[in-house]
Amino acid sequence: MKNTICLLLYLVSINIGFAQDAEVQKKLKNFDKQMEQVMKDWNMPGVGVGVVKNGKLVFMKGYGYRDYEKKLPITGNTLFQIASNTKLFTATAVGFLVDQGKLDWDKPIKTFVPSIQFYNNELNNTITVRDMLAHRTGVTRHDLIWYKSDFNRSQLFDKLKYLEPAQPLRQGFLYNNLMYAASGHIIDLIEGKKWETYVQEKILNPLKMNNTFFSIADMKKQQDIFVPFNEKRDTNILYKIPYLEQTDGLGPAGSMISNINDLSNWLIALMNKGKFDEKQIIPEAVVNATKAPSIALNNSLLEQGFTEVLNPFYGMGRQTASYRGHQLLLHGGDFDGIHSQISYMPQDNIGVIVFVIGDHGFSYNSITYNIYEHLLGLSITPWSERGLKNRDARKKIEKDGRKNAQQGQIKDTKPSHPISDYLGEFEDKAYGIISITQKENQMFFKLNAIQLPLNHFHYDRFDTTNDEEAGFFSINYQTNPQGEIDQFLISLDEGEVTFTRKSDSSLSTPEILTKYTGKYKIGTTIINLVLKNKNQLFIQGSPDLELIPYKPNVFKIKEFADFTIEFVLEDGKVTAMKQKDGSGEYEIKKE
C-alpha cells in the first residue's frame, strides 16, 4: 500500500485553472505509462508537460517532483527558468520596433544604433538585427564571458567589438547568446526603457502572463517553484545544485522564469497569428517574420540514420523542421539543472510545453516528439531506447577518460619561476579577469563566480581540479622577453584565449599619465608623447605607438615585445626616458 501511494505521488496530475480534454487524455494514456518507464530509466527528478489545442490549455501533468528532496508535486503554476526560450520574447519585442519603423530587419543595425561596435568596419557596415537574432553573424558563443559573471547588459554590449568572427557573415549557424543580450540592449537604447519593462508592457501584461518573472530573486518570493537536482557523477544519487542566478546581463537571451499556465497563453497567441482573447497582441507580420527561414541547420539526426526530423532551419528565436511530415516550430532552453522546450505544429493546431529537471535526464526533444506522436496517432519512435544507448556509452567513455587525466604529464618537472610569480590578475578585454591566488600553499583559479583549486601539472602548465559542476581548466604560462611571467593561454568556449597580467589600474589614470607627456630629444630628433582619450599614452609617429602601463614608471609597446620604456624621475618630475631592448639601453632626455 505504501509503495502504491508513493507511485501515485510520483506520477501526480494537477488540475489548476483549466479543464482536461477527454480526447487528449485518452490519447496520452499510454504516454503516462511510457513516462513511468522513462522516469525510472533516466533517474529523472521531475518533468512538467502542457498541451495547447484549439486555443486552450487542454492537458497539464507533472511527473516526479518540482522539489525532489521535499517530494513536492509539479503544477501548472510551478515556476521554471525557461532559459533560451526567452529568445523568442526578445525577437518579438524587437519586431514591435520594426513594425513601428524604428528598426529594420535587414538594414545594418548601426544605421539605427550608431553606438554598436563589432569586430571590424566590414561587420559594422553589414550586420543586421536579423543576423543577430538568427545566429548568423559568424561570431561563435563565448558563453564564459557572461556565465556566472557580474557584467551588466551595457558591458556585454560593449564587448561585441572584441569578438572576432569564426566564419564569414551569413555562411553558417553559430549560436550566440551575447547577440541576444545586445538585441535587448538595443531596445533599451531606442525606447529609453529596460528590455524587461518593454517585454512586460508589450507582451506579458496583454497576454495575462501575471506569474512570469525575470530573476531568481523574484522567483524565490513565490511558493510554487522548481528546485534543480542533478545526478552525481558516476552514481545514480540525485543532489541539489544551486540556481544559475547571474542572468541580469544575459537577460534577453535567457533570464525569464514562467510556468505552464502562463506559457500556454504565449503559445495560444503564437498559434493564433498574434491574437489573444480576440485582440491582436502581436502584429501578425512579426509572428511570421520570426518563423521565416533565416539560416539552414544541419540534418544532424539524419546523419545518425534517424529520418524523423528533416530539413531544420532557424528563423529568429525559434527553429522549424519537418517531424514525420508535420511542420514543427520549436526552441529549447538550457540552464544548470533545468531544461525547457516550447513548440507547436501550426497545421495541426497543437502546442506542447515541456520542462525537465536535471542535466542527466531524457531529452526534452524526445519527450516532445513522443507527445506529438501520441496525439497524432502515429507509431511511437523509441527515442528513449536510442538515448539510453548513447548515454551509457558516453558515461563509460567519460569515466574511463578521467582515469587517464595524467596521461602526457612529464614527471618530476618544476615551474620555471617561484610560485609567487604565477599569482595575480590576468585580463582579456572580452572575458574580463581571471584571478590566480594562493592560500596555505594551495593555488586557486577564479573566473567570474567559478573558483577551483589549481595545481602544477608540468613545467609552466597548471590545471584545475575536474569539477562536475564548474568544469576543468588548464592554463599554460608564458614568459616575456624580459624573463617575467606576464600571460597565459587557456582554452575557453571554442578557442584559445590569451590573458595578460593586469597592471595596476592607477597607472592608467590621466593624473599619472600626464606627467610623462611632452617632448624628448635625442640628437636633433624630437620624440613627442601625447595623451589620447584621457588614459592612453602614445609616441607620435606613423603610426602612433601606444605605451602600455606595465609597472610604476615602466611601459611596454604592443608591437615590440622586447622593448620597455622606463621613465626617469628626479624630485617627482620626469627628466628622461630609457628605451631598453636586447641591443642595449638608451636614455632620451626630456626637454
Side-chain angles (χ1 to χ4, degrees):
M1 183 67 178
K2 182 178 179 182
N3 291 337
T4 302
I5 293 172
C6 288
L7 180 60
L8 288 173
L9 284 172
Y10 195 66
L11 297 172
V12 66
S13 177
I14 306 297
N15 294 277
I16 295 180
F18 71 96
Q20 301 273 21
D21 182 280
E23 181 185 359
V24 170
Q25 286 271 41
K26 183 178 179 181
K27 289 181 176 180
L28 290 179
K29 185 176 181 180
N30 288 331
F31 175 74
D32 282 347
K33 295 179 181 178
Q34 178 187 358
M35 282 300 293
E36 181 179 345
Q37 187 64 44
V38 164
M39 299 291 288
K40 179 180 178 182
D41 289 343
W42 290 84
N43 194 25
M44 297 170 73
V47 173
V49 171
V51 175
V52 172
K53 183 180 179 183
N54 298 326
K56 295 179 181 179
L57 177 65
V58 296
F59 179 89
M60 186 275 135
K61 193 157 190 176
Y63 304 88
Y65 310 102
R66 62 179 170 88
D67 186 332
Y68 182 80
E69 183 179 50
K70 296 181 179 179
K71 301 298 184 282
L72 299 176
I74 294 169
T75 76
N77 289 325
T78 299
L79 291 170
F80 299 92
Q81 290 175 295
I82 71 171
S84 285
N85 274 300
T86 302
K87 288 181 170 63
L88 185 54
F89 287 89
T90 297
T92 301
V94 169
F96 280 103
L97 299 184
V98 174
D99 190 65
Q100 296 165 20
K102 297 177 180 179
L103 282 176
D104 188 289
W105 295 119
D106 299 307
K107 291 181 180 178
I109 186 62
K110 201 167 179 63
T111 304
F112 306 94
V113 186
S115 62
I116 198 167
Q117 294 286 335
F118 296 101
Y119 188 73
N120 55 37
N121 284 333
E122 179 183 359
L123 296 181
N124 285 336
N125 297 330
T126 311
I127 286 181
T128 67
V129 74
R130 188 189 299 274
D131 296 325
M132 297 172 70
L133 297 175
H135 304 294
R136 62 183 199 185
T137 62
V139 179
T140 192
R141 298 182 74 112
H142 297 288
D143 280 338
L144 281 170
I145 293 176
W146 64 263
Y147 181 69
K148 294 191 175 182
S149 83
D150 293 325
F151 292 126
N152 61 39
R153 205 163 302 152
S154 177
Q155 290 171 320
L156 292 178
F157 184 79
D158 290 339
K159 289 179 181 293
L160 296 181
K161 62 179 174 284
Y162 301 120
L163 307 182
E164 183 177 5
Q167 65 185 27
L169 179 69
R170 302 180 193 133
Q171 296 304 300
F173 178 84
L174 289 178
Y175 200 84
N176 193 303
N177 286 300
L178 294 172
M179 292 297 171
Y180 266 83
S183 297
H185 190 60
I186 286 168
I187 294 173
D188 300 353
L189 295 173
I190 291 177
E191 289 297 292
K193 61 178 67 173
K194 290 191 69 175
W195 163 82
E196 290 89 344
T197 302
Y198 192 80
V199 169
Q200 187 77 50
E201 293 175 354
K202 301 292 286 188
I203 301 175
L204 301 186
N205 291 345
L207 292 182
K208 300 179 181 178
M209 297 178 68
N210 301 321
N211 292 296
T212 297
F213 304 95
F214 296 94
S215 71
I216 290 292
D218 285 337
M219 185 190 80
K220 286 180 176 179
K221 297 174 184 176
Q222 314 304 312
Q223 295 297 316
D224 194 347
I225 64 177
F226 91 102
V227 179
F229 276 80
N230 273 345
E231 189 177 71
K232 191 169 182 60
R233 190 163 61 191
D234 301 331
T235 77
N236 60 0
I237 298 170
L238 295 176
Y239 72 107
K240 186 190 302 186
I241 67 169
Y243 293 108
L244 178 59
E245 299 198 42
Q246 301 92 340
T247 61
D248 180 61
L250 180 72
S255 70
M256 291 178 68
I257 297 165
S258 192
N259 58 44
I260 290 174
N261 286 332
D262 271 20
L263 290 170
S264 68
N265 292 352
W266 171 237
L267 257 185
I268 289 166
L270 294 175
M271 296 166 69
N272 195 29
K273 301 178 181 179
K275 289 184 179 180
F276 181 77
D277 281 352
E278 300 182 355
K279 297 177 182 178
Q280 192 74 46
I281 306 301
I282 306 167
E284 183 176 352
V286 174
V287 177
N288 291 336
T290 58
K291 65 183 181 182
S294 294
I295 191 79
L297 305 178
N298 292 331
N299 271 305
S300 56
L301 287 174
L302 186 61
E303 293 169 0
Q304 298 175 46
F306 305 140
T307 59
E308 292 83 7
V309 183
L310 294 174
N311 301 329
F313 62 79
Y314 201 88
M316 290 183 285
R318 53 175 155 177
Q319 61 176 285
T320 299
S322 171
Y323 187 80
R324 299 183 68 177
H326 298 258
Q327 186 187 22
L328 176 63
L329 283 71
L330 72 164
H331 205 287
D334 303 280
F335 269 172
D336 298 350
I338 182 63
H339 308 271
S340 64
Q341 187 167 80
I342 302 173
S343 66
Y344 66 96
M345 289 183 168
Q347 281 72 45
D348 300 283
N349 206 14
I350 303 170
V352 175
I353 302 163
V354 174
F355 287 102
V356 177
I357 298 175
D359 296 335
H360 61 286
F362 186 33
S363 162
Y364 51 61
N365 281 336
S366 303
I367 295 174
T368 297
Y369 298 155
N370 283 155
I371 291 173
Y372 283 116
E373 288 170 339
H374 283 280
L375 293 174
L376 296 171
L378 302 174
S379 59
I380 305 304
T381 304
W383 288 113
S384 181
E385 291 80 357
R386 293 174 180 178
L388 285 170
K389 290 180 181 179
N390 289 335
R391 182 200 66 178
D392 294 342
R394 185 182 67 250
K395 278 189 171 183
K396 184 178 186 307
I397 290 172
E398 290 175 353
K399 185 176 181 179
D400 291 345
R402 287 193 300 273
K403 292 177 181 177
N404 297 316
Q406 300 302 311
Q407 290 294 319
Q409 184 183 43
I410 300 174
K411 302 292 185 180
D412 302 322
T413 63
K414 295 181 179 180
S416 63
H417 288 59
I419 291 298
S420 59
D421 287 0
Y422 298 90
L423 308 179
E425 292 186 336
F426 296 78
E427 185 176 31
D428 172 77
K429 290 182 178 179
Y431 283 88
I433 292 173
I434 290 178
S435 177
I436 309 297
T437 58
Q438 185 180 38
K439 184 178 181 180
E440 297 178 355
N441 295 322
Q442 175 63 62
M443 295 174 70
F444 290 93
F445 165 101
K446 186 175 185 299
L447 170 62
N448 301 328
I450 300 170
Q451 180 165 313
L452 295 167
L454 185 68
N455 300 301
H456 180 248
F457 185 77
H458 62 208
Y459 296 118
D460 286 337
R461 171 180 161 181
F462 291 74
D463 291 356
T464 70
T465 53
N466 187 345
D467 186 86
E468 58 188 294
E469 290 180 27
F472 167 81
F473 300 89
S474 180
I475 61 180
N476 187 27
Y477 285 94
Q478 296 184 333
T479 57
N480 60 26
Q482 291 76 38
E484 300 165 322
I485 297 287
D486 72 338
Q487 63 183 26
F488 59 70
L489 299 178
I490 181 171
S491 294
L492 296 178
D493 297 318
E494 294 79 26
E496 195 170 64
V497 183
T498 300
F499 281 74
T500 302
R501 186 180 295 278
K502 189 176 184 295
S503 60
D504 188 331
S505 59
S506 67
L507 301 179
S508 296
T509 62
E511 294 77 13
I512 294 293
L513 295 180
T514 299
K515 67 182 181 181
Y516 303 122
T517 60
K519 295 181 179 180
Y520 296 76
K521 188 174 183 180
I522 179 170
T524 58
T525 301
I526 300 294
I527 299 173
N528 198 22
L529 268 64
V530 297
L531 195 62
K532 295 182 181 180
N533 304 319
K534 295 183 179 181
N535 64 350
Q536 290 177 290
L537 188 64
F538 285 86
I539 297 176
Q540 283 188 324
S542 298
D544 292 347
L545 297 177
E546 184 180 1
L547 298 185
I548 311 296
Y550 182 51
K551 297 177 180 179
N553 301 318
V554 181
F555 292 73
K556 302 193 79 171
I557 299 175
K558 179 181 178 182
E559 291 79 4
F560 306 106
D562 58 334
F563 276 51
T564 59
I565 300 294
E566 181 177 348
F567 290 92
V568 179
L569 278 72
E570 293 180 8
D571 299 325
K573 293 183 178 181
V574 177
T575 60
M577 65 177 180
K578 293 181 180 179
Q579 175 186 310
K580 298 180 179 180
D581 59 54
S583 67
E585 179 180 304
Y586 310 94
E587 184 170 290
I588 307 168
K589 295 290 185 181
K590 186 176 184 183
E591 287 201 316

